[in-house]
């Protein structure tokens, strides 16, 4: 088991309303929150970008000028930090995402590795949103991998169920990629549950020797899964994209608080957390 864990902070997410939750939006806010997380032990920032016009901070932006401004602000605040950019969109029109990767050239980017029925119900059984398909066929995955290879971007394969975990292995066998950094996404209502007992099974079905982490979404069992991930040798991730609640049940007001709690949990299991230099060395990412 690795002695040290890499910690990723998921700063803001895709649609969380900044008028209702303390998620950062502007370059200044993003840099300040990244610095709080960095000082607490996070050396990778998973970044979603928002529209900057007044009243539109809850909406995503794929404008490379905005994205690069935010990335530059984060890098200025956090020496050697690794930027991990989102790529998740629904539908067959995703060329603009590929162009945004080419324009921004982050060190890492998410690569959603398979299709999921994205569902959630309310207490009365009605749909929380209209049922939708988060479509990621192999052709779409391949297009993303090819652009990431072209730009020197390390893909992080986001897996929402065990079949998607196994698909990543097939991508490797097919020659689509020679490396897989697995991200087990747990807690989506129609995907894998946030269940610590599931982690050993997921590890069994990933390609041997490849790094992994768990993204744990929601509120229930989040911190028990984080603890089990740390015990099993995984890298770790949290932030206001994934969860708003600290281990004691209090609502977090900053990503820094979430990362402080995750760093403490790692140390409780006998592991330290990496510096930015160590993170880059472990991932094979040079400082450009």
């Amino acid at each position: 088991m690795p002695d040290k864990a890499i910690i990723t902070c998921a700063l803001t997410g895709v649609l969380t309303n900044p008028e209702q939750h303390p998620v950062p939006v502007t370059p200044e806010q993003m840099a300040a929150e990244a610095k709080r997380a960095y000082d607490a032990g996070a050396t990778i920032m998973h970044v979603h970008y928002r529209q900057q016009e007044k009243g539109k901070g809850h909406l995503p932006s794929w404008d490379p000028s905005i994205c690069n401004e935010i990335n530059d602000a984060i890098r200025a605040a956090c020496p050697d930090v690794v930027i991990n950019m989102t790529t998740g969109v629904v539908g067959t029109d995703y060329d603009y995402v590929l162009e945004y990767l080419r324009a921004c050239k982050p060190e890492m980017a998410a690569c959603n590795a398979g299709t999921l029925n994205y569902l959630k119900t309310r207490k009365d059984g009605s749909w929380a949103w209209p049922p939708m398909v988060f479509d990621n066929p192999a052709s779409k995955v391949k297009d993303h991998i090819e652009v990431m290879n072209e730009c020197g971007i390390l893909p992080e394969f986001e897996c929402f169920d065990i079949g998607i975990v196994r698909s990543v292995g097939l991508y490797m066998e097919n020659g689509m990629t020679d490396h897989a950094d697995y991200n087990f996404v747990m807690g989506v209502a129609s995907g894998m549950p946030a269940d610590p007992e599931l982690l050993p099974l997921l590890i069994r079905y990933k390609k041997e020797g490849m790094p992994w982490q768990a993204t744990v979404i929601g509120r229930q069992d989040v911190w028990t899964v984080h603890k089990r991930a740390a015990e099993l040798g995984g890298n770790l991730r949290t932030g206001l994209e994934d969860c708003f609640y600290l281990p004691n049940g209090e609502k977090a007001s900053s990503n820094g608080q979430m990362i402080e709690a995750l760093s403490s949990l790692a140390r409780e299991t006998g592991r330290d957390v990496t510096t930015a230099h160590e993170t880059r060395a472990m991932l094979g990412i040079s400082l450009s």
Side-chain angles (χ1 to χ4, degrees):
M1 181 177 77
D3 292 334
K4 294 188 175 184
I6 297 170
I7 291 185
T8 295
C9 181
L11 289 166
T12 193
V14 61
L15 289 172
T16 308
N17 193 334
E19 295 181 3
Q20 298 175 347
H21 301 284
V23 293
V25 171
T26 68
E28 295 78 15
Q29 291 168 347
M30 293 288 280
E33 277 293 284
K35 183 64 163 62
R36 293 184 183 106
Y38 182 87
D39 289 345
T43 50
I44 300 175
M45 302 297 160
H46 177 66
V47 190
H48 290 250
Y49 306 88
R50 305 297 187 84
Q51 296 183 25
Q52 299 296 303
E53 294 87 355
K54 185 176 177 60
K56 293 188 176 181
H58 61 295
L59 298 173
S61 174
W62 301 91
D63 182 341
S65 63
I66 292 172
C67 302
N68 273 325
E69 184 179 358
I70 289 172
N71 289 350
D72 289 345
I74 291 172
R75 289 186 174 113
C78 307
D80 302 348
V81 73
V82 173
I83 300 290
N84 178 336
M85 292 173 65
T86 183
T87 63
V89 294
V90 173
T92 58
D93 178 15
Y94 53 84
D95 285 349
Y96 62 96
V97 178
L98 304 181
E99 290 307 313
Y100 127 116
L101 288 176
R102 288 189 175 104
C104 296
K105 292 184 172 60
E107 292 89 349
M108 297 183 72
C111 187
N112 296 282
T115 296
L116 180 77
N117 278 316
Y118 208 86
L119 310 172
K120 186 177 180 180
T121 53
R122 299 187 179 95
K123 289 182 180 179
D124 65 0
S126 64
W127 294 118
W129 54 73
M132 60 173 284
V133 177
F134 185 25
D135 53 324
N136 296 289
S139 58
K140 186 175 179 180
V141 175
K142 186 173 186 289
D143 288 342
H144 282 76
I145 292 172
E146 287 179 349
V147 170
M148 291 184 200
N149 288 341
E150 169 193 326
C151 297
I153 301 168
L154 184 69
E156 177 189 272
F157 292 96
E158 299 199 0
C159 303
F160 292 85
D161 67 31
I162 195 163
I164 298 177
V165 173
R166 299 180 73 196
S167 293
V168 173
L170 298 176
Y171 301 152
M172 294 185 71
E173 291 174 16
N174 185 251
M176 289 168 57
T177 184
D178 59 4
H179 176 84
D181 196 314
Y182 289 80
N183 184 359
F184 305 142
V185 182
M186 309 174 79
V188 174
S190 54
M192 295 187 292
D195 181 352
E197 295 183 12
L198 189 56
L199 285 173
L201 185 65
L202 297 174
I203 294 167
R204 185 190 310 169
Y205 285 106
K206 76 175 183 67
K207 282 291 187 180
E208 188 174 354
M210 295 294 115
W212 64 276
Q213 66 177 311
T215 289
V216 197
I217 294 170
R219 186 171 184 175
Q220 298 298 319
D221 299 318
V222 165
W223 292 96
T224 56
V225 175
H226 286 317
K227 182 179 180 182
R228 189 67 179 128
E231 292 171 342
L232 291 170
N235 293 317
L236 303 170
R237 167 180 147 162
T238 194
L240 296 177
E241 173 179 353
D242 302 340
C243 177
F244 297 121
Y245 297 95
L246 297 165
N248 64 5
E250 292 181 5
K251 192 171 183 178
S253 61
S254 167
N255 283 286
Q257 291 176 298
M258 299 292 287
I259 299 301
E260 285 174 7
L262 195 56
S263 296
S264 295
L265 183 149
R267 294 184 176 104
E268 288 169 9
T269 64
R271 300 177 68 195
D272 205 345
V273 300
T274 58
T275 65
H277 177 77
E278 290 168 334
T279 294
R280 287 177 174 274
M282 288 171 68
L283 297 176
I285 298 173
S286 61
L287 181 62
S288 57

